Amino acid sequence: MTFEPKDVFRKLEFDKILDLLEREALTPMAAEALRQTFPKTNFSEIDLALRETREFKLALEKNDRFPLESFPDIRPDLKMLEIEGYTLQAESFQGILRILQLMRDVFKFFSAGPKKEIYPKLYDITRPLSFDEGLIKSIHAVFDEKGEIRPDASPELMRIRREMQQKVRELDARFRQIIQECRAKGWLSDSPESFRNGRRVLSVPSEHKRKIRGIIHDESDTGRTAFIEPEAVIEINNDLFDLEHDERREIFRILRDLSETIRPYSPMIRSYLETLVRFDEIQAKAKLGLSLRAGMPVLKEKPIIAIRKGYHPLLFLKNKPLGRKTVPFDLRLNPENHILILSGPNAGGKSVAMKSVGLLQLMVQSGLLVPVHELSEFGIFKQIFADIGDQQSLDDDLSTYSSRLQNARAFLEKANPYTLVLIDEMGSGTDPKPGGAIAEAILRQLHRKGVYAVITTHYSNLKVFAFRNPGILNGNMHFDKDTLSPTYELKVGRPGSSYAFEIAEKSGLPRDIIGYARNRTGSETAVDDILIELQREKQELEEKLQSVTEKEQSLERLVKTYDSMHHDLEVKRKQLKLNQKEHELRVSANINREVDKLIKQLKEEKNLERALEVSAKLRQERSDKARQVDEVNAEVIRLEEKAVPSASSKPLVVGDFVRLRAGGAIGRVEEIKGQKASLAMGGIRVTAHLRDLLPAAEPIQQTAHTTATDLQQSAAFDAKIDLRGMSKEEALQVLERFVDNALLANASNLHILHGKGDGVLRKVVRQKLREYGGNISNVYHPQQEGGGEGVTIVELT
């Protein structure tokens, strides 16, 4: 990502955000990494970082304790461990043990309950890793809970320490005896014993030092006391000294063997350390997001800024402990309107709003949650340019205005549609007329390059330019005319006034001075007022036009819906008429059978003329009924073909899937002869007229593999679940998956244990079960001995 000038982080106060992140880190390693945070331009990387942070913030909000605490930097130890034959010190193993224990707890965290589903992105961090408890056991076999070498770390060490204890007891007994003898003779000081050079010695006044046989190890500073090791304990002390030497040698051997055991796992332990550092970075971001009441916005690959209820993060943190309200703002910049000219009085919040846009954009592209509404949208920019504050340079012999012109030249050379430009008080620092003209020319070129920009100004010509050119919006920081105080509310669509005269009048400036100033700037002030009024009228017209357009679209949808419903009604009416005619035809056929009996009877009675008359009449009635049925059927077919034009335009061929107009059954065309087709429907063969068939999509095939899978699922499914201790959101997710699996496994009865409590989980269960409608035949609570209202039993259809 490119920045111009290079101190954009400082100008937008992103460095202060990094300071806050550092404070939240648990370890210096994570703090160092967070200090190096740099905005990204890769969509996938940004999206992943935001989702990881959002999931950790969710864990903090739910008090779902993630097992992460402070841990040491063991990178130097791991580096030394890579040297063949190198032996780590005891303190180094304590650091390695700390890393292993934390990673063990992290793996346990994700294995408990539905944590993998609730925090999928955090779980993905540990997915490539595996964990071996053997390393912890190896270290525990050598060290106790206090980090000391265990007495039973090896059989040899046990023997040495046992002998040392015996020698210590022997030394203690012999020393007490010597003290009693010498004290009885008055040869000892008030403090009879001490330690010198690692040896237990007697404190003897100088006048008696020749009376006690032994080695003088030291004397007091005054020379009045000598420290003597009695001859009787010298041999015991020597034995003890040898044992201590043997102990150190054996401990070194144990640590050497332990180093050899852990050495092959050095790369894995390094991966553990890197993983914990990454979790530390994520938790720092999540804690900052929690303090900001921040969330994850909608991320877009193309440049766009659509902020809803956004706050300046640092201003929000400053106001929160003081109980002050931070005023949110809304802003939308897109390819159609990509530049905002922001005007209004001084100290009205223009610069804060502009900086907010830049700072929020930097935070999002750095994977940080931001204090905006969750439906806010942020695109990805590849360049951010900012011209903010006094950039006068004595070293480069540049005035403020010269430095601004240099920035403008760099912006125009490098800007493109993926650039976000932020300019404060554009054109200021020189004579207003030429300064305003140059500012307008720069704005014109930035507009042509398609950059996204938020620009603050007091110049009327820039407001007029924005009014006349599509793609540039005017905006203002609202100012209360009655109290002459800013409200800090961003209003997009109208330019703002500086309210210079009103503020001057409120500050107590004499009226004659203000009147003189008004006369001198009359025409310019009038232009500003006219522009504001024109912008207001334009905005009102645009809002009305938008309303009319929405109503037209709504009306068009209603007309289409009406036409569709009318057509469906006509088809159903024709089908009903067809059914009635078919019914009449069947009734007529039944009557004909009765009449046949009558004709037969008439023939038997030899009334041939009467029989012929009845027979002809019946034939005519049946012919009329059949003709009416054919006409209605043809009308239904015509309406259906009108609804599905492809049905008549594309002839059927062998292999096509079709459905019968009557009944809707679907089959595959096996053979076509003339106007009839032979269909395969399941295991039977059907012949139908082509006009009675409609094209259809291939039906979903049920395979033996599916059945086998269902049988496996059914065999493995557990019809009981325990939701106690879960939050409402966790319970909904787990319960939905449980019922879905039950339906797939063809289970008949489900037992859901949710506890009584305040009834929240019971209501959640009832609410979720209602979504399954016809799949559930009964829901009830068992008797009190079966759990009562703490258990819900579900019977599936």
Side-chain angles (χ1 to χ4, degrees):
M1 193 169 188
T2 305
F3 298 101
E4 192 68 42
K6 302 305 180 184
D7 61 346
V8 168
F9 280 16
R10 182 183 60 81
K11 291 183 179 298
L12 295 178
E13 299 181 287
F14 185 65
D15 56 332
K16 294 182 180 179
I17 296 293
L18 298 183
D19 290 340
L20 294 174
L21 279 176
E22 278 190 272
R23 294 176 201 165
E24 298 292 354
L26 297 173
T27 64
M29 294 171 286
E32 180 184 356
L34 290 168
R35 170 51 64 182
Q36 304 302 319
T37 298
F38 198 80
K40 304 177 180 67
T41 57
N42 182 279
F43 177 86
S44 300
E45 292 179 3
I46 299 171
D47 185 66
L48 177 61
L50 287 170
R51 292 181 184 278
E52 289 173 348
T53 307
R54 181 178 65 178
E55 288 180 6
F56 208 109
K57 177 172 172 281
L58 175 63
L60 294 175
E61 291 171 338
K62 295 170 57 179
N63 290 322
D64 202 353
R65 183 183 171 277
F66 191 87
L68 187 65
E69 299 173 359
S70 179
F71 52 90
D73 184 359
I74 63 171
R75 289 176 295 184
D77 299 322
L78 294 177
K79 187 174 182 180
M80 298 306 296
L81 194 60
E82 293 173 358
I83 301 174
E84 196 65 34
Y86 184 83
T87 301
L88 292 177
Q89 299 299 312
E91 296 79 9
S92 300
F93 285 107
Q94 295 307 305
I96 292 174
L97 178 62
R98 180 66 173 158
I99 298 300
L100 293 173
Q101 289 173 332
L102 283 174
M103 278 306 302
R104 177 194 61 192
D105 294 343
V106 168
F107 277 96
K108 286 182 179 179
F109 175 83
F110 287 113
S111 64
K115 300 291 177 61
K116 298 176 184 177
E117 291 77 18
I118 298 174
Y119 312 113
K121 298 303 179 184
L122 294 179
Y123 173 65
D124 286 345
I125 297 174
T126 64
R127 193 189 295 271
L129 303 175
S130 59
F131 189 77
D132 185 2
E133 282 274 358
L135 292 177
I136 293 181
K137 292 179 181 177
S138 298
I139 297 176
H140 276 158
V142 175
F143 296 94
D144 60 17
E145 293 78 6
K146 297 180 180 179
E148 303 291 337
I149 301 291
R150 298 174 63 91
D152 58 349
S154 73
E156 178 64 14
L157 185 61
M158 286 182 64
R159 182 192 66 78
I160 293 171
R161 289 191 171 178
R162 188 164 52 246
E163 291 185 11
M164 288 177 66
Q165 290 173 357
Q166 292 174 355
K167 290 294 181 181
V168 167
R169 286 195 295 269
E170 183 181 347
L171 176 64
D172 189 57
R174 189 74 184 98
F175 214 85
R176 282 201 304 269
Q177 181 183 353
I178 293 172
I179 288 175
Q180 289 176 359
E181 293 174 356
C182 293
R183 179 174 285 165
K185 297 176 181 179
W187 293 349
L188 299 180
S189 302
D190 294 336
S191 299
E193 63 177 297
S194 182
F195 278 89
R196 288 294 186 275
N197 301 325
R199 300 287 183 122
R200 195 171 179 182
V201 296
L202 297 173
S203 300
V204 181
S206 297
E207 61 268 22
H208 301 303
K209 66 181 179 180
R210 300 299 178 186
K211 300 175 182 178
I212 300 176
R213 297 179 62 84
I215 299 173
I216 299 176
H217 282 275
D218 197 6
E219 288 186 347
S220 65
D221 293 337
T222 61
R224 294 180 180 179
T225 304
F227 299 99
I228 302 173
E229 181 183 7
E231 185 178 43
V233 300
I234 290 176
E235 186 176 350
I236 300 175
N237 270 330
N238 287 339
D239 292 342
L240 198 56
F241 182 80
D242 291 340
L243 287 171
E244 289 173 350
H245 178 73
D246 293 343
E247 180 190 36
R248 288 193 296 271
R249 185 169 54 191
E250 178 62 15
I251 288 174
F252 179 80
R253 186 195 65 79
I254 293 170
L255 295 180
R256 183 186 62 203
D257 292 346
L258 185 57
S259 298
E260 291 300 324
T261 300
I262 292 180
R263 198 183 314 280
Y265 298 95
S266 178
M268 184 181 71
I269 298 173
R270 187 182 298 277
S271 299
Y272 289 166
L273 178 64
E274 292 170 352
T275 299
L276 291 175
V277 171
R278 183 173 176 185
F279 277 128
D280 192 4
E281 293 177 45
I282 295 171
Q283 72 83 26
K285 294 178 181 179
K287 283 184 178 178
L288 178 61
L290 203 61
S291 63
L292 287 172
R293 299 178 190 171
M296 177 180 171
V298 179
L299 190 65
K300 301 289 185 179
E301 293 193 51
K302 299 290 184 181
I304 186 175
I305 296 174
I307 299 173
R308 299 187 184 185
K309 296 181 180 179
Y311 298 91
H312 189 291
L314 299 174
L315 183 62
F316 178 81
L317 290 178
K318 178 183 177 182
N319 288 339
K320 186 165 67 169
L322 300 175
R324 297 176 184 170
K325 179 184 177 183
T326 305
V327 181
F329 69 95
D330 293 353
L331 174 63
R332 182 176 183 84
L333 298 179
N334 52 35
E336 290 74 32
N337 295 300
H338 51 93
I339 296 179
L340 173 68
I341 301 298
L342 191 55
S343 52
N346 289 322
K350 299 191 302 297
S351 298
V352 172
M354 178 200 61
K355 287 183 178 180
S356 298
V357 174
L359 182 55
L360 293 175
Q361 188 66 45
L362 286 175
M363 291 178 66
V364 168
Q365 291 192 223
S366 299
L368 299 175
L369 303 180
V370 287
V372 298
H373 190 277
E374 61 182 8
L375 294 180
S376 300
E377 299 177 16
F378 284 83
I380 297 176
F381 292 92
K382 296 181 180 179
Q383 300 184 122
I384 295 182
F385 299 162
D387 185 356
I388 301 172
D390 187 0
Q391 301 176 61
Q392 185 175 13
S393 174
L394 296 177
D395 294 336
D396 298 331
D397 195 24
L398 289 176
S399 67
T400 299
Y401 188 66
S402 297
S403 65
R404 285 183 173 274
L405 292 179
Q406 283 201 356
N407 285 339
R409 177 177 58 81
F411 295 175
L412 294 175
E413 288 176 355
K414 302 175 182 179
N416 58 47
Y418 288 88
T419 304
L420 175 62
V421 176
L422 306 168
I423 302 178
D424 192 23
E425 301 294 353
M426 188 176 192
S428 64
T430 188
D431 188 300
K433 287 191 176 180
I438 293 174
E440 183 177 329
I442 294 171
L443 174 60
R444 176 171 168 267
Q445 193 63 20
L446 291 174
H447 180 227
R448 288 182 172 181
K449 285 181 171 285
V451 304
Y452 285 68
V454 178
I455 298 170
T456 70
T457 187
H458 287 286
Y459 288 170
S460 297
N461 64 310
L462 298 185
K463 304 174 193 177
V464 174
F465 186 84
F467 176 75
R468 291 176 175 173
N469 289 272
I472 307 179
L473 297 172
N474 267 308
N476 73 89
M477 301 306 296
H478 186 255
F479 194 78
D480 191 329
K481 293 182 180 179
D482 298 328
T483 61
L484 292 179
S485 59
T487 64
Y488 305 109
E489 296 177 11
L490 174 60
K491 302 288 187 181
V492 178
R494 303 180 192 176
S497 170
S498 64
Y499 294 100
F501 296 124
E502 290 83 351
I503 295 174
E505 189 173 346
K506 182 182 178 183
S507 67
L509 207 61
R511 289 180 177 274
D512 57 335
I513 293 178
I514 296 174
Y516 179 83
R518 283 185 184 277
N519 292 331
R520 294 293 298 169
T521 60
S523 59
E524 294 180 9
T525 305
V527 169
D528 219 17
D529 294 340
I530 292 171
L531 176 62
I532 294 173
E533 184 62 24
L534 285 173
Q535 191 79 54
R536 183 188 63 78
E537 293 177 359
K538 178 184 177 183
Q539 186 175 0
E540 290 176 355
L541 288 173
E542 288 176 348
E543 290 173 355
K544 289 180 181 179
L545 180 61
Q546 178 67 23
S547 176
V548 171
T549 303
E550 290 175 356
K551 289 179 180 178
E552 286 180 350
Q553 292 173 349
S554 177
L555 181 60
E556 185 177 349
R557 287 193 296 270
L558 287 172
V559 170
K560 288 182 179 179
T561 302
Y562 172 79
D563 290 342
S564 175
M565 293 175 64
H566 177 73
H567 177 269
D568 292 343
L569 181 62
E570 187 67 17
V571 170
K572 290 178 181 178
R573 188 178 66 81
K574 293 293 184 181
Q575 286 178 337
L576 178 62
K577 185 176 180 181
L578 175 62
N579 293 336
Q580 290 174 342
K581 293 298 181 182
E582 288 178 342
H583 176 70
E584 291 175 3
L585 192 59
R586 287 194 296 271
V587 172
S588 177
N590 292 333
I591 295 175
N592 285 344
R593 283 194 291 272
E594 298 295 329
V595 173
D596 286 342
K597 293 180 182 179
L598 176 61
I599 292 174
K600 185 177 180 182
Q601 182 181 353
L602 290 174
K603 285 182 178 179
E604 290 175 353
E605 295 175 358
K606 297 185 178 180
N607 191 346
L608 186 58
E609 183 178 347
R610 174 64 177 159
L612 291 173
E613 181 182 345
V614 170
S615 176
K617 182 178 179 182
L618 289 174
R619 279 198 300 272
Q620 182 62 37
E621 287 180 357
R622 290 187 62 184
S623 176
D624 291 344
K625 295 287 185 184
R627 180 178 53 77
Q628 291 176 359
V629 169
D630 289 341
E631 289 176 355
V632 174
N633 190 33
E635 181 66 16
V636 171
I637 292 173
R638 184 185 66 78
L639 288 171
E640 287 182 336
E641 289 178 347
K642 183 178 179 182
V644 187
S646 59
S648 58
S649 60
K650 181 183 176 182
L652 295 177
V653 296
V654 174
D656 284 352
F657 284 89
V658 295
R659 68 175 175 85
L660 297 175
R661 294 183 188 275
I666 296 178
R668 188 174 186 271
V669 178
E670 297 289 330
E671 184 182 7
I672 297 178
K673 288 185 178 180
Q675 294 299 312
K676 292 188 176 182
S678 180
L679 312 177
M681 291 185 175
I684 62 174
R685 198 176 182 89
V686 177
T687 301
H689 200 282
L690 291 179
R691 70 184 180 187
D692 294 330
L693 303 177
L694 287 174
E698 181 179 358
I700 298 174
Q701 299 295 324
Q702 300 293 329
T703 63
H705 172 73
T706 303
T707 305
T709 303
D710 290 344
L711 289 173
Q712 292 170 2
Q713 290 178 347
S714 179
F717 178 72
D718 185 0
K720 296 181 180 180
I721 189 172
D722 188 351
L723 303 179
R724 291 177 298 178
M726 296 186 185
S727 67
K728 182 178 178 181
E729 292 74 15
E730 288 178 14
L732 284 171
Q733 293 180 8
V734 173
L735 182 61
E736 180 177 344
R737 188 164 57 255
F738 174 69
V739 178
D740 289 346
N741 290 337
L743 294 173
L744 291 173
N746 293 320
S748 58
N749 286 283
L750 306 179
H751 289 252
I752 303 172
L753 178 59
H754 45 69
K756 297 179 181 178
D758 54 8
V760 173
L761 286 180
R762 183 171 67 250
K763 294 177 183 177
V764 167
V765 171
R766 288 280 182 171
Q767 171 189 343
K768 193 65 183 177
L769 292 176
R770 280 197 290 270
E771 298 178 8
Y772 288 87
N775 293 313
I776 296 177
S777 60
N778 192 18
V779 178
Y780 62 92
H781 299 298
Q783 296 296 327
Q784 194 62 35
E785 56 271 17
E789 293 186 352
V791 177
T792 296
I793 296 178
V794 183
E795 295 179 355
L796 301 177
T797 56

